[in-house]
Amino acid sequence: MRWQHLILIGQDYCQYCGLPFELSVGHQISCASCLQKKPQYEVARALFVYEKNIKELILKLKYADAHYIVPFFAQQIAHFITIQNFKADYIIPVPSHYRRLMMRKYNPVALIVDALEKQIPIPVLMHGLKRIKFKTQKGYTKIQREHNLSNETLKEAITAKYSGLSTN
């Protein structure tokens, strides 16, 4: 698989969810879904269109210990952050489920963030999120997932975790 066959998402995407548009529509445009119901988050971005080539790389990293992919992902993310003048208080990797962590012996996202930290001016909170006992999302519809994620317990856990942090 050649990495040049990956499809980068250009400048035309939804300002909230990052969904790429097929036509050039300009900046600060929302997709139909986000216009209908604004997401609970400020912004989400992806570097690549999720298709077979990027999926293959991700699966190799997750399930075949292909750590050689980590610098590529970190470099691409750092380039995106620089070019887009992307601002964030922190970069926080999502923790792996403990069973997956025991099976793999590493968190793929943490490996990428660790490599990324050396290339960007945004601080990293490697252990900024803590997994809480939570219902699985597998097999849920979009509406069921939104309901599951709007759970007050999740909101309280996040608020408690970050109430003591400062950006100073």
Side-chain angles (χ1 to χ4, degrees), residues 84-100:
Q84 296 289 323
N85 197 24
F86 191 79
K87 304 284 185 220
D89 294 329
Y90 302 101
I91 301 283
I92 306 171
V94 175
S96 292
H97 187 277
Y98 77 92
R99 286 189 190 126
R100 293 242 190 252

Side-chain angles (χ1 to χ4, degrees), residues 15-140:
Q15 66 177 334
Y16 298 111
C17 72
L19 178 75
F21 297 127
E22 291 186 26
L23 302 172
S24 182
V25 293
H27 298 291
Q28 303 300 313
I29 302 293
S30 299
C31 70
S33 275
C34 291
L35 277 174
Q36 186 177 16
K37 184 178 180 190
K38 188 177 178 210
Q40 294 180 354
Y41 51 83
E42 285 184 37
V43 65
R45 290 291 175 268
L47 293 178
F48 302 100
V49 174
Y50 189 71
E51 48 74 52
K52 69 177 183 143
N53 293 320
I54 193 69
K55 182 178 179 180
E56 183 181 318
L57 279 179
I58 292 168
L59 293 177
K60 281 182 179 180
L61 176 60
K62 288 174 71 173
Y63 300 111
D65 295 334
H67 293 219
Y68 65 89
I69 296 169
V70 169
F72 169 75
F73 279 136
Q75 182 182 34
Q76 294 299 310
I77 295 167
H79 181 72
F80 172 82
I81 287 170
T82 303
I83 296 298
Q84 296 289 323
N85 197 24
F86 191 79
K87 304 284 185 220
D89 294 329
Y90 302 101
I91 301 283
I92 306 171
V94 175
S96 292
H97 187 277
Y98 77 92
R99 286 189 190 126
R100 293 242 190 252
L101 192 56
M102 295 301 290
M103 181 180 72
R104 288 187 192 125
K105 307 292 186 217
Y106 65 93
N107 175 351
V109 175
L111 293 178
I112 294 169
V113 170
D114 187 50
L116 179 63
E117 183 176 24
K118 299 165 183 78
Q119 302 177 47
I120 60 168
I122 301 170
V124 168
L125 289 178
M126 194 55 79
H127 302 287
L129 292 177
K130 180 182 177 190
R131 274 202 167 282
I132 60 172
K133 189 171 179 143
F134 200 62
K135 294 178 188 175
T136 181
Q137 299 284 71
K138 188 175 183 179
Y140 279 20

